[in-house]
Every structure is written in structure tokens, then in C-alpha cells.
């Protein structure tokens, strides 16, 4: 008894073709649904108030200023060592009072 192989192979090919077409159609549907979901998703946004922007600018400027003026420290050390550094008590008291006043205004 002879078997016709040509018909057997054509049946397998048609079944595999229909399976692969079904898979690609499912993949296309999944891709389309992902794309449509991506289009409907809203993007987050952040807005900074003008006060916050000013604060950022001030912080950036303060970061550029050195905390200690080493040149001035050396000048004062030298003046003290040489006996040239004089303290004006009235000016010192005035500056302390002004500083205290400014601290009260912050509260």
C-alpha cells in the first residue's frame, strides 16, 4: 500500500501556516492595544513656583561663596599678632543689637 506524501505535507503546511497567521494576528492585536494604551496615558509634569525658583537661585549663589574668607582670616591673625587689631566697642555693640533685631524680625 502506497502513501501519497505530497498530500500529507500540504496538509501540515496549511495547518502550520494558519497557526502562524493566528499567532501573528494575536501579536499584532497585542501590539496595537499597547500602542493605544501608550497614547492615552497622560504624562506627568512638574511646575516650580516663582518663590521656589528664587530659592534655588539664592542657594546656587550661596554655594559659590566660600564659607570662610581665608584671606581676611590671615589679615586679622597677622594684625592681632602684630598688635594692630583694635576693637571698637561701640561699633561691636551696635552690630550685635542690629543682629538681634533682625533675628526677632524672622520670628
Amino acid at each position: 500500500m502506497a502513501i501519497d506524501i505530497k498530500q500529507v505535507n500540504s496538509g501540515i503546511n496549511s495547518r502550520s501556516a494558519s497557526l502562524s497567521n493566528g499567532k501573528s494576528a494575536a501579536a499584532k492585536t497585542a501590539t496595537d492595544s499597547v500602542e493605544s494604551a501608550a497614547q492615552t496615558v497622560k504624562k506627568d509634569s512638574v511646575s516650580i513656583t516663582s518663590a521656589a525658583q528664587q530659592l534655588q537661585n539664592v542657594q546656587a549663589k550661596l554655594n559659590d561663596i566660600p564659607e570662610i574668607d581665608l584671606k581676611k582670616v590671615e589679615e586679622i591673625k597677622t594684625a592681632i599678632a602684630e598688635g594692630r587689631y583694635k576693637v571698637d566697642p561701640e561699633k561691636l555693640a551696635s552690630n550685635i543689637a542690629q543682629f538681634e533685631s533682625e533675628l526677632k524680625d524672622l520670628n
Side-chain angles (χ1 to χ4, degrees):
M1 170 170 176
I3 300 175
D4 187 9
I5 297 177
K6 292 180 185 177
Q7 291 178 351
V8 172
N9 286 337
S10 66
I12 291 173
N13 288 340
S14 65
R15 279 191 218 129
S16 65
S18 66
L19 286 175
S20 66
N21 285 344
K23 287 180 182 177
S24 65
K28 184 173 181 354
T29 303
T31 303
D32 290 344
S33 65
V34 168
E35 287 175 358
S36 66
Q39 291 174 352
T40 59
V41 172
K42 294 183 179 179
K43 298 193 180 208
D44 292 336
S45 65
V46 176
S47 60
I48 299 175
T49 64
S50 62
Q53 289 174 345
Q54 288 176 343
L55 182 60
Q56 285 179 337
N57 291 338
V58 169
Q59 286 176 337
K61 288 178 184 178
L62 286 175
N63 289 338
D64 293 340
I65 299 172
E67 290 184 35
I68 299 172
D69 186 356
L70 296 176
K71 181 180 176 184
K72 187 163 186 164
V73 169
E74 288 302 318
E75 288 174 1
I76 293 172
K77 280 183 178 181
T78 305
I80 290 172
E82 294 174 355
R84 296 182 289 114
Y85 188 78
K86 304 290 183 205
V87 177
D88 182 0
E90 290 180 22
K91 183 177 178 184
L92 178 61
S94 172
N95 288 341
I96 292 173
Q98 181 182 355
F99 180 71
E100 291 286 331
S101 174
E102 289 173 359
L103 284 178
K104 287 179 185 175
D105 290 342
L106 291 177
N107 292 331

